[in-house]
Amino acid sequence: MRETRLDTARIRAARRVIDPVFLDTPLYRCEALEPGLGCAVSIKLETANPVRSFKARGTEVVASLLADQDSRAVVCASAGNLGQALAWSGRGRGLDVTVVASRFATTAKLDRIRALGATLELVDGDHEVARERAAAIARRDGIRLVEDSLDIETCEGAATIGLELVDATPSFDAVLIALGGGALATGVGHVVKAMAPEVEVICVQPLGAPALTHSWHRRRVVTTDSTDTIADGVAGRYPIPAVLDDLLLVADDAVLVQEASIIAGMRMLLDHAGLVVEPSAALGVAAILEDRDRFAGRHVVTILCGSNVDVDAYHRWVGAAGVNGS
């Protein structure tokens, strides 16, 4: 079998440079969810940290390397979570961080990027337009461009979650991973398949942003003209070929879920787990809701990857039903 771009030794080394506040996140059986889902469910909670997402595991690795270089400036494109994480990691190491984002991105995420001291540039259009602008800034200024999922540090930082999962007791049968650019899926998938190959790695993407899922099924890059999903954190249109190559090696399946299921998942996590999550973090629960028979009688782990939500939008999605029961 071919190998991915990731290296397990480097992933273990990454744990030594990541701030401990982002490591060893809660992993627990959430029995309150189980009657509604029909299977044993454990939650890996990647929201209880200063940037409320898993992204800092990767940006900590990036920033630790940049801190030892002459050039201490860096730019990235972000839907919000990567930008917050890079701003946090860069601030602690004296880096000059610029984040490019769509002006239509979640306001709470943009406000937090500014609050963390990064320079924020907004563009018209979606995340792919922001990626193009960030690349142009990097070329113009001769600074480091951080490309989420393409840069191996972002994948190997995320992969440290996998180390924590495979060391868990009791073991589990499947892991459900939100699929956007692919750093989380390829990182966790690499570790799980290397150390617990019997565990099924299932990637989950919204029906309204299906590019990487279609690419996985067709074994070639498939792009889309647009996206239409509330899960902004995973709404990419142009999969990265190298990421797809890795994903083909570590993912057992890639599935698409409907918006209604994502919202139902968010409601369940609020009602039964007391957790406010962004839509991307509810993708795993949505996948179980749409295919209960597949998971019946199994022990499933779902990674709750972020909780940066616009409060008004969250209330519109979850509504009164989210307070009184789904």
Side-chain angles (χ1 to χ4, degrees), residues 57-71:
R57 291 182 184 249
T59 59
E60 284 286 278
V61 181
V62 171
S64 69
L65 295 173
L66 286 174
D68 295 329
Q69 299 180 6
D70 292 335
S71 176

Side-chain angles (χ1 to χ4, degrees), residues 163 186 217 235 245:
L163 293 178
T186 58
H217 283 282
D245 289 343

Side-chain angles (χ1 to χ4, degrees), residues 35-208:
L37 296 177
C39 61
V41 180
S42 288
I43 286 171
K44 182 64 168 164
L45 189 64
E46 292 296 313
T47 65
N49 62 58
V51 299
R52 303 202 305 205
S53 84
F54 77 95
K55 294 288 189 180
R57 291 182 184 249
T59 59
E60 284 286 278
V61 181
V62 171
S64 69
L65 295 173
L66 286 174
D68 295 329
Q69 299 180 6
D70 292 335
S71 176
R72 301 177 68 81
V74 61
V75 61
C76 75
S78 175
N81 285 347
L82 178 72
Q84 289 181 71
L86 187 60
W88 194 95
S89 297
R91 184 182 66 175
R93 293 172 174 84
L95 304 182
D96 179 9
V97 177
T98 298
V99 178
V100 184
S102 167
R103 66 178 67 256
F104 307 111
T106 300
T107 301
K109 295 180 180 181
L110 300 180
D111 289 345
R112 186 60 179 154
I113 290 169
R114 293 188 185 98
L116 287 166
T119 298
L120 179 63
E121 180 173 323
L122 300 179
V123 298
D124 294 317
D126 64 7
H127 179 63
E128 303 301 345
V129 176
R131 283 175 64 182
E132 293 172 1
R133 176 58 182 160
I137 291 172
R139 290 192 298 270
R140 182 194 69 194
D141 298 342
I143 63 176
R144 168 69 187 269
L145 171 66
V146 175
E147 293 192 77
D148 196 19
S149 304
L150 176 60
D151 287 5
I152 201 65
E153 300 97 331
T154 63
C155 303
E156 292 182 341
T160 59
I161 297 171
L163 293 178
E164 294 165 21
L165 287 177
V166 297
D167 287 339
T169 302
S171 60
F172 49 93
D173 302 308
V175 57
L176 294 165
I177 310 173
L179 183 61
L184 183 62
T186 58
V188 174
H190 170 90
V191 173
V192 169
K193 284 305 173 186
M195 302 176 68
E198 71 283 358
V199 173
E200 189 176 21
V201 173
I202 304 170
C203 304
V204 191
Q205 202 164 33
L207 191 62

Side-chain angles (χ1 to χ4, degrees), residues 234-314:
V234 294
R237 296 189 286 119
Y238 300 124
I240 299 168
V243 176
L244 174 60
D245 289 343
D246 289 341
L247 195 67
L248 287 169
L249 295 174
V250 301
D252 294 299
D253 200 3
V255 301
L256 298 172
V257 294
Q258 301 177 60
E259 298 294 291
S261 300
I262 298 172
I263 292 171
M266 295 170 69
R267 287 174 175 163
M268 289 189 73
L269 286 163
L270 176 62
D271 290 345
H272 303 301
L275 296 171
V276 173
V277 300
E278 61 188 83
S280 301
L283 289 171
V285 175
I288 302 172
L289 286 170
E290 291 198 5
D291 198 355
R292 286 182 174 87
D293 289 346
R294 176 176 186 171
F295 300 103
R298 305 176 73 191
H299 183 188
V300 180
V301 172
T302 182
I303 301 171
L304 303 189
C305 54
S307 64
N308 289 298
V309 293
D310 178 271
V311 173
D312 291 337
Y314 183 84

